[in-house]
Amino acid sequence: MSNKMHINLTVNGEAHEFLAEPRELLIYTLRERLNITGPHIGCETSHCGACTVTLNGKSVKACTMFIAQANGADVTTIEGIGSPDNLHVLQKSFREHHGLQCGYCTPGMITRASKLLEENPNPTEEEVRFGMAGNMCRCTGYQNIVKSILAAASEMNAAKEAAE
Amino acid sequence: MIPAPFDYHRPSDLKGVLALLQEHGDEARVIAGGHSLIPMMKLRMAEVPHLIDLQSIDSLKGISIAGTKVTIGALVTQHDIIDHPELGRVAPILKETSLQIADPQVRYMGTVGGNVANGDPGNDMPGLMQCLDATIHLIGPNGTREVAARDYYEAAYMTARDDGEVLTAISFDAPAGGYAYEKQKRKIGDYATAAAAVTIQKAGGKVASASIAMTNLSDTPVWSEAAGAALEGTTCDAAAIKAAVAAMLDDIDPTEDNRGPVAFKRHVAGIILTRAITRAWDRA
Ligand SMILES: Cc1cc2nc3c(=O)[nH]c(=O)nc-3n(C[C@H](O)[C@H](O)[C@H](O)COP(=O)(O)OP(=O)(O)OC[C@H]3O[C@@H](n4cnc5c(N)ncnc54)[C@H](O)[C@@H]3O)c2cc1C
Ligand code: FES
Ligand code: FES
């Protein structure tokens, strides 16, 4: 293709530079070009939230953004939120409260939840359900996902108080 | 789900946008949040050889409020509206509507300009803007012009905007009194089966004036002048609400689709409007 563009993208703090067709969807850039396979593809039609990443401070469905639009952006995926030896509070909480079964939705859930707790550090159950409405789960029935997020919120708030 | 190839442009000012629209004619289209356009491009229902991204045009961003006069830049997102306390005080119906659009991720991207310009009968902002008697601001090769939201929609995806024009802002005079945006959807994040935007001003225990618009019940939003008039001078009692619903039902023209048959949509429209009027009156 003649119309490849020069792209700059920062993902989880690391700068990447490459040539890509403008129509490449951000989710494919992450998964297939950069091998960052935490964000999943559930529907590819903007409905399920499995592909959720944080882009310039916003929760975004990476299947609904062209790489050309994301040129210059700063992206955080689940890989930038925690690692196997250093789990984020939300990841620990999902494990503890059985917030996942098959795990397919989990990276999107936790990435969105991390932003939700930034927007609203002390949400009610209803606010968690409303704030997570863009993420679908076919396994858990959501109950334990909500429980995990609420538990993580209290833990994060307690840690903040202890630090003050 | 891979769209056809396109050339991508990200001009830094409106002049650049207008020049690209001139140069490429039918082959060019602007993209704001992309949450209506990208799904259409992925399905190849829209082919856009030249995609012009508005994201760097700062003059299209921002909400300005002077007294009751509100101007919302085309690139203001639904999230921005929800997150704007002053707008929430001056024109709370905007936040109430935005909270019923899609889901958090979509609201971070979806813009007011895109929602209003798109011309999809399922979009929620057009009905709201007709209810508020908002003005749509356009700029094109021949300068700027204004179109009333109530005159803007011609048919599904057909609007008063010419291909070479860009929607820059929407302005309105925020009404005092009661308001409600009520929406019936199959699930959270869905487009409306039926939705109603209502504002009511009260004086001496009676309805002084009322404005009613409906979403996704025709190939355009429907501002029902007769429905609003049916409430005026009444105490918004059950008979008045029934008359308003009957007037509204005369003005809509729903079609059968996966949200249900015509009779069902008319039934839902009546219930939604009844709830919206009741809530707006309670708040008036
Ligand atoms: C899962 C999902 C659920 C949704 N649910 C709802 C819902 O319940 N209610 C609802 O109202 N919407 C809904 N939407 C649509 C969403 O709100 C859209 O983002 C919005 O309608 C369009 O805004 P945009 O900025 O994304 O526009 P884009 O997709 O960028 O553009 C849409 C169209 O408008 C044109 N356009 C955009 N900006 C301008 C401008 N400034 N001047 C001229 N033309 C312009 C574009 O060329 C394009 O033709 C949903 C979307 C998704 C993906
Ligand atoms: S894969 Fe992006 S929303 Fe489902
Ligand atoms: S855990 Fe299986 S989809 Fe959510």
Side-chain angles (χ1 to χ4, degrees):
Chain A
M1 283 300 301
S2 57
N3 72 343
K4 284 200 175 165
M5 283 178 68
H6 194 110
I7 304 285
N8 283 295
L9 193 71
T10 303
V11 187
N12 302 325
E14 197 181 320
H16 299 271
E17 263 189 75
F18 49 89
L19 289 175
E21 279 191 66
R23 64 173 168 170
E24 182 171 304
L25 295 166
L26 175 60
I27 189 68
Y28 288 111
T29 309
L30 295 171
R31 291 181 56 81
E32 290 177 14
R33 190 184 280 281
L34 305 178
N35 237 339
I36 297 171
T37 53
H40 290 164
I41 300 175
C43 65
E44 225 188 334
T45 59
S46 330
H47 289 94
C48 74
C51 63
T52 301
V53 299
T54 309
L55 182 137
N56 294 340
K58 306 168 171 191
S59 295
V60 166
K61 294 173 180 172
C63 73
T64 314
M65 171 157 299
F66 295 127
I67 191 59
Q69 296 172 281
N71 192 10
D74 191 343
V75 177
T76 305
T77 68
I78 187 70
E79 287 88 345
I81 290 177
S83 65
D85 340 307
N86 189 13
L87 291 180
H88 186 274
V89 180
L90 273 161
Q91 291 172 312
K92 283 189 207 146
S93 188
F94 269 63
R95 185 175 65 187
E96 220 149 282
H97 297 276
H98 215 76
L100 62 149
Q101 288 177 26
C102 80
Y104 200 82
C105 68
T106 315
M109 284 287 173
I110 291 181
T111 306
R112 170 59 198 148
S114 69
K115 182 70 203 164
L116 170 65
L117 294 185
E118 240 177 82
E119 294 164 4
N120 181 357
N122 206 359
T124 62
E125 176 179 340
E126 200 187 334
E127 286 166 347
V128 169
R129 289 182 184 275
F130 194 76
M132 296 299 296
N135 293 72
M136 289 190 188
C137 176
R138 294 287 88 145
C139 300
T140 63
Y142 301 100
Q143 207 62 28
N144 286 347
I145 291 178
V146 174
K147 213 194 267 174
S148 306
I149 296 171
L150 286 169
S154 9
E155 192 167 326
M156 285 159 78
N157 290 334
K160 222 184 307 166
E161 254 168 55
E164 272 160 18
Chain B
M1 300 294 281
I2 310 289
F6 55 81
D7 282 333
Y8 174 83
H9 310 267
R10 197 191 286 185
S12 56
D13 58 22
L14 268 176
K15 233 171 80 192
V17 176
L18 294 176
L20 284 162
L21 284 171
Q22 282 287 91
E23 184 185 344
H24 299 292
D26 294 356
E27 301 231 301
R29 216 143 132 180
V30 300
I31 185 167
H35 274 52
S36 290
L37 188 54
I38 293 173
M40 300 271 277
M41 289 173 72
K42 285 200 212 165
L43 295 168
R44 303 215 176 191
M45 284 159 68
E47 196 161 325
V48 186
H50 290 274
L51 192 66
I52 308 171
D53 193 340
L54 298 178
Q55 69 169 281
S56 299
I57 317 289
D58 290 336
S59 63
L60 303 181
K61 296 173 188 170
I63 298 173
S64 74
I65 302 175
T68 57
K69 295 252 180 288
V70 177
T71 304
I72 299 181
L75 287 183
V76 168
T77 63
Q78 288 135 20
H79 178 87
D80 295 334
I81 287 181
I82 293 165
D83 209 29
H84 198 288
E86 192 186 355
L87 183 66
R89 274 192 303 277
V90 176
I93 194 170
L94 264 85
K95 180 172 179 177
E96 183 158 298
T97 306
S98 297
L99 284 168
Q100 295 179 69
I101 293 177
D103 59 49
Q105 286 93 321
V106 175
R107 291 194 292 265
Y108 262 123
M109 292 303 298
T111 65
V112 176
N115 203 297
V116 168
N118 194 26
D120 181 338
N123 284 141
D124 289 287
M125 291 286 174
L128 171 64
M129 295 307 167
Q130 290 198 341
C131 173
L132 295 173
D133 198 12
T135 301
I136 292 170
H137 300 258
L138 301 171
I139 188 165
N142 304 320
T144 59
R145 66 183 180 113
E146 297 177 357
V147 184
R150 291 176 188 171
D151 298 329
Y152 188 77
Y153 298 94
E154 294 164 356
Y157 300 103
M158 307 272 288
T159 68
R161 186 178 61 83
D162 294 330
D163 284 348
E165 289 181 313
V166 176
L167 192 158
T168 54
I170 295 143
S171 65
F172 58 88
D173 197 4
Y179 66 90
Y181 193 80
E182 183 80 30
K183 175 172 171 181
Q184 167 67 36
K185 45 194 193 250
R186 293 172 300 180
K187 62 179 237 337
I188 198 159
D190 192 22
Y191 290 94
T193 303
V198 175
T199 58
I200 295 179
Q201 286 75 44
K202 188 178 188 174
K206 293 199 167 142
V207 176
S209 61
S211 178
I212 291 175
M214 308 298 293
T215 294
N216 221 8
L217 293 161
S218 285
D219 65 348
T220 62
V222 173
W223 178 63
S224 177
E225 189 171 7
L231 296 179
E232 284 166 19
T234 73
T235 55
C236 223
D237 53 307
I241 295 177
K242 225 170 142 187
V245 167
M248 175 278 290
L249 289 173
D250 275 345
D251 284 343
I252 63 170
D253 185 18
T255 49
E256 174 163 355
D257 59 19
N258 54 10
R259 292 189 177 81
V262 171
F264 174 71
K265 291 190 176 182
R266 294 177 66 81
H267 172 74
V268 175
I271 289 175
I272 288 302
L273 180 55
T274 303
R275 285 186 195 158
I277 293 173
T278 306
R279 193 158 75 234
W281 178 246
D282 280 349
R283 287 166 166 173

